[in-house]
Amino acid sequence: MSFPVVVLISGSGSNLQALIDQSLQGVLNIDIRAVISNKASAYGLQRAEQSGIATHALSHKDFETREAFDQALATVIDSYQPKLIILAGFMRILSEDFTRRYEGMMLNIHPSLLPKFKGLNTHQRAIDAKESEHGVSVHFVSAELDAGAVVLQASTAIDENETAESLANKVHTLEHIIYPLTVKWFSTGRLELNSGIAYLDGAPLPISGVRYQPELS
Ligand SMILES: Nc1nc2c(c(=O)[nH]1)N[C@@H](CN(C=O)c1ccc(C(=O)N[C@@H](CCC(=O)O)C(=O)O)cc1)CN2
Ligand SMILES: NCC(=O)N[C@@H]1O[C@H](COP(=O)([O-])[O-])[C@@H](O)[C@H]1O
């Protein structure tokens, strides 16, 4: 029995593609029931359609308030009865009611080593801050932005003459490894959130989660 999920996107959908590919390869036993985007132009919607996955474009611009958009989004999500909601480049801040509704069953991937560089434009900010390393974090979603329990992080060096584009490419490669792994942990019952703390195989994770190593499975 495969594990029902819904994926929320706003853009290219390369993380969605990694999940689709690993599902098709049998690495991930998930059923991606729908892909929902707040931007109709998101290429990720085409990726989903090419894989026969249901898609919805729900523009936040069509709603008076953030809460009204979130309520409409929740109605679409609930129609698929997912056990996990995966934010994969979803670029809308979600309301407190929405995050509480799905607490413990909603993951996000953020392009920084949280708690560093919450928010946007993380690659350039890390370069400007002369960081020696940068990376990506998968975390449970909480009402406070990019502050939910971190599950898994992966890092890369920031080289001399690094640009935001070159760094983003390195981070994307890491994302396509750690997001499917995190989804596998959740879909097989190894990962859960309890009172704001992430647990893997029953053990509480450190504040920065697990640091990815190739032998991790
Ligand atoms: N309540 C929460 N909502 C969201 C979280 C979260 O942790 N808690 N994670 C984000 C994802 N994200 C970074 O990982 C993020 C997405 C969007 C923004 C943002 O400033 N959005 C603006 C619009 C920006 C745009 O449209 O380009 C906004 O919503 O007004 C910051 C961080 C997903 N939501
Ligand atoms: N704050 C959220 C955020 O910036 N998320 C980032 O959006 C990109 C989506 O790429 P994709 O559409 O190719 O998966 C990813 O790099 C992800 O970390």
Side-chain angles (χ1 to χ4, degrees):
M1 186 75 170
S2 61
F3 194 84
V5 307
V6 166
V7 183
L8 274 53
I9 64 166
S10 297
S12 170
S14 71
N15 277 282
L16 165 67
Q17 192 63 58
L19 296 168
I20 292 171
D21 294 346
Q22 293 210 21
S23 173
L24 290 173
Q25 292 156 14
V27 175
L28 272 181
N29 186 22
I30 59 171
D31 171 16
I32 303 174
R33 291 189 172 170
V35 174
I36 306 168
S37 176
N38 66 308
K39 296 199 173 176
S41 60
Y43 181 65
L45 292 174
Q46 293 184 48
R47 294 179 192 265
E49 286 158 12
Q50 287 160 13
S51 294
I53 299 169
T55 61
H56 296 263
L58 202 64
S59 175
H60 56 279
K61 294 174 182 171
D62 293 341
F63 296 85
E64 298 266 309
T65 66
R66 197 176 289 271
E67 288 71 20
F69 169 74
D70 286 4
Q71 182 53 58
L73 180 60
T75 300
V76 175
I77 288 170
D78 292 349
S79 71
Y80 290 97
Q81 297 180 305
K83 292 183 178 174
L84 178 64
I85 298 158
I86 301 169
L87 307 186
F90 183 70
M91 298 306 287
R92 296 299 296 175
I93 297 172
L94 295 159
S95 62
E96 184 164 358
D97 284 352
F98 188 96
T99 59
R100 288 194 191 289
R101 182 190 189 101
Y102 300 113
E103 190 168 13
M105 61 175 288
M106 186 157 59
L107 292 169
N108 180 53
I109 191 159
H110 178 77
S112 82
L113 294 172
L114 291 171
K116 288 187 174 180
F117 308 114
K118 297 176 181 178
L120 300 174
N121 305 316
T122 62
H123 307 309
Q124 191 59 55
R125 290 161 60 197
I127 293 168
D128 294 346
K130 300 193 186 322
E131 296 284 341
S132 60
E133 65 168 5
H134 185 52
V136 53
S137 304
V138 179
H139 65 95
F140 282 100
V141 176
S142 63
E144 184 184 349
L145 188 64
D146 302 331
V150 178
V151 178
L152 185 55
Q153 293 188 324
S155 62
T156 183
I158 297 182
D159 298 328
E160 211 172 327
N161 304 320
E162 193 83 65
T163 63
E165 184 181 2
S166 64
L167 191 52
N169 287 336
K170 291 198 282 191
V171 168
H172 266 309
T173 300
L174 298 173
E175 294 179 342
H176 302 159
I177 295 168
I178 72 166
Y179 217 175
L181 179 55
T182 306
V183 171
K184 186 174 85 169
W185 287 349
F186 190 89
S187 63
T188 54
R190 295 181 57 191
L191 173 67
E192 59 182 358
L193 184 73
N194 192 334
S195 303
I197 296 172
Y199 289 78
L200 182 64
D201 298 331
L205 292 181
I207 195 81
S208 295
V210 175
R211 182 60 69 96
Y212 177 74
Q213 302 288 342
E215 60 271 18
L216 264 185
S217 64

